[in-house]
Amino acid sequence: MAIEVRIPTILRNYTGGAKIVEGSGDTLAALIDDLDSRHSGLKGRLITPEGGLHRFVNIYVNDEDVRFLGALEAKVKDGDSLTILPAVAGGALGFAAAAALVGGR
Amino acid sequence: MARYESLLDACGGTPLVGLPRLSPAVPEGAPPVRLWAKLEDRNPTGSIKDRAALFMVREAEESGHLRPGDTILEPTSGNTGIALAMVAKLRGYRVVCVMPENVSAERTQLLRMYGAEIIFSPAAGGSNQAVATAKQIAAEHPDWKMLFQYGNPANARAHYETTGPELLHDLPTITHFVAGLGTTGTLMGTGRFLREKVDGIQIIAAEPRYGELVYGLRNIDEGYVPELYDASVLTRRFSVGTRDAVLRTRQLIEVEGIFAGFSTGAVLHAALAVAHEAVKAGNRADVAFVVPDAGWKYLSTGAYGGTLNEAEEALEGQLWA
């Protein structure tokens, strides 16, 4: 058994188009290192040069946000399900337009 | 109180109802674990957004940002547009909504009935097109006013001053508050108020996880976190997929007779998760969650009937919360 990782469309160029990949590790950081060893470049899109989670990336372990579970130190184990998503809150179209409007004021 | 001077005065004061059939059973002698639903569909336009719309307009009037006869521009396809249109009608403003052309017929009709004008952005271009359309409109009409619910402190303040105090008044034994995460206004305002008043309270976010089409439109560097969001207000944050949201929405009407929109299903899914954890741990829990709106506006999606697979398919690519 391994940890199942769901990859969002916009990051599938790092996984050869695969929607779901598998990995292993005791913590989220170790799991991401493991994934990057087979899907080179993925880590750079999830973690900033300063070593934190990218602001616009949300990662969930069994549907729970890792930022509230210890972030990169969050414990993971075989059988867990990990979901990576870009940060887009409710009403994506509305806020994209709203943000652009405010920025352009 | 059941008599009000005007519709605007009837905003808030929504009922908090117990869910005795949906609350998990506890072993004999164990402390009770109870679920409570705050029925925000009982607001003037049928959603929790009436609170934010009213506070944002009032604040803009007081600060001089809005003057009589002004036009409010709101890029929304949902409840905020409808709430703003009602408030604007009663306070003397014009509302223009920018929305993608693929939103449900109910929403378009409601917005028009409340007097809003609608400018459609082509659905095919996704969010990039919506941004381009909105920018173009703003450039052509520099005098139109944006209230910008994602960064407007009056949105969160509406909940700090009304939703939070109502909950504490109706349920002084509250242990968990669960709500949906969109603009984050409900969770930030209510969460801050309850944290100040209730020791050890847990503030839990339920974030809708849409179909891939919605996320596929953006790249990670174009992501957006609402300016109102402060993670320190939250205790936990759950991502809830379309299937679980539909399942819980159906369960709520089947078991407790409450007809709600799909975002409620996402919130209920998280509320049930923490309720079951409390039972397992042998803790007392009074879990209050928000029902942001009723199901009427989503009937045409077809997702209330058929199998879960069919419902999931019907909502794929839609912003159902």
Side-chain angles (χ1 to χ4, degrees):
Chain A
M1 242 195 356
I3 299 163
E4 185 184 274
V5 182
R6 288 171 184 276
I7 306 289
T9 320
I10 54 175
L11 293 180
R12 285 182 203 155
N13 50 330
Y14 296 99
T15 61
K19 193 171 163 177
I20 296 174
V21 298
E22 291 195 336
S24 60
D26 295 335
T27 62
L28 178 61
L31 173 64
I32 290 174
D33 281 337
D34 176 59
L35 291 173
D36 197 67
S37 69
R38 268 163 287 118
H39 310 288
S40 182
L42 190 59
K43 182 177 175 178
R45 302 307 308 275
L46 304 179
I47 297 176
T48 62
E50 294 76 37
L53 266 181
H54 193 301
R55 177 170 159 77
F56 295 142
V57 169
N58 291 331
I59 301 182
Y60 306 86
V61 177
N62 303 329
D63 289 345
E64 188 159 1
D65 188 331
V66 295
R67 285 192 174 88
F68 298 89
L69 301 171
L72 288 167
E73 297 314 309
K75 297 283 177 228
V76 293
K77 60 180 187 308
D78 279 359
D80 280 349
S81 165
L82 201 90
T83 303
I84 302 172
L85 286 178
V88 286
L93 294 173
F95 79 64
L101 275 176
V102 166
R105 241 186 352 203
Chain B
M1 192 165 116
R3 173 176 145 169
Y4 305 91
E5 291 302 309
S6 81
L7 188 63
L8 294 180
D9 297 300
C11 183
T14 54
L16 184 70
V17 303
L19 305 184
R21 295 167 190 83
L22 212 50
S23 298
V26 298
E28 212 176 302
V33 170
R34 298 183 294 184
L35 287 168
W36 302 87
K38 187 145 177 76
L39 304 183
E40 289 297 309
D41 60 307
R42 311 291 181 89
N43 274 302
T45 73
S47 92
I48 192 167
K49 294 295 188 183
D50 286 345
R51 297 181 191 257
L54 185 57
F55 269 66
M56 288 194 300
V57 167
R58 268 200 202 135
E59 195 279 330
E61 287 173 339
E62 283 160 15
S63 70
H65 181 51
L66 267 184
R67 291 168 204 284
D70 270 352
T71 296
I72 300 170
L73 175 62
E74 182 68 21
T76 173
S77 55
N79 289 327
T80 301
I82 294 166
L84 267 178
M86 181 276 292
V87 176
K89 175 191 279 295
L90 298 183
R91 306 288 299 179
Y93 308 103
R94 174 178 169 229
V95 168
V96 177
C97 288
V98 185
M99 54 200 265
E101 61 189 1
N102 58 343
V103 303
S104 73
E106 292 99 324
R107 297 191 201 190
T108 315
Q109 286 176 17
L110 269 169
L111 278 167
R112 290 212 169 106
M113 284 176 69
Y114 277 112
E117 291 158 53
I118 301 172
I119 299 176
F120 288 109
S121 66
S127 55
N128 290 340
Q129 187 59 53
V131 170
T133 307
K135 275 186 168 168
Q136 190 191 334
I137 295 163
E140 286 166 7
H141 305 279
D143 54 322
W144 289 5
K145 307 289 171 60
M146 283 260 310
L147 295 179
F148 192 49
Q149 55 171 339
Y150 297 91
N152 191 330
N155 174 0
R157 195 158 50 79
H159 300 288
Y160 184 89
E161 291 185 14
T162 67
T163 318
E166 287 170 26
L167 278 163
L168 187 63
H169 177 267
D170 294 338
L171 189 65
T173 55
I174 186 170
T175 57
H176 300 71
F177 172 68
V178 191
L181 192 74
T183 68
T184 77
T186 306
L187 279 157
M188 294 302 113
T190 312
R192 277 196 192 104
F193 176 84
L194 290 175
R195 274 182 181 274
E196 285 172 15
K197 307 285 180 188
V198 183
D199 273 348
I201 185 141
Q202 296 206 32
I203 308 296
I204 291 146
E207 183 184 8
R209 185 167 72 243
Y210 298 114
E212 296 212 331
L213 291 173
V214 172
Y215 297 97
L217 299 171
R218 306 182 65 85
N219 89 49
I220 275 181
D221 301 316
E222 288 174 350
Y224 179 66
V225 177
E227 281 80 349
L228 289 179
Y229 183 61
D230 172 3
S232 71
V233 176
L234 303 183
T235 318
R236 301 168 76 176
R237 176 171 163 174
F238 291 97
S239 166
V240 184
T242 309
R243 195 182 180 88
D244 287 328
V246 170
L247 174 74
R248 300 307 187 185
T249 305
R250 290 180 178 188
Q251 203 176 2
L252 190 58
I253 190 164
E254 276 163 24
V255 180
E256 295 283 3
I258 295 172
F259 176 47
F262 296 111
S263 56
T264 296
V267 176
L268 174 58
H269 189 66
L272 277 166
V274 298
H276 282 285
E277 281 178 16
V279 173
K280 235 178 172 177
N283 294 334
R284 179 188 73 78
D286 273 314
V287 182
F289 69 93
V290 171
V291 173
D293 63 3
W296 305 105
K297 288 188 296 286
Y298 313 98
L299 278 174
S300 70
T301 62
Y304 284 89
T307 65
L308 277 182
N309 281 341
E310 285 163 355
E312 207 174 3
E313 210 169 291
L315 293 176
E316 171 71 24
Q318 291 202 32
L319 301 167
W320 45 257

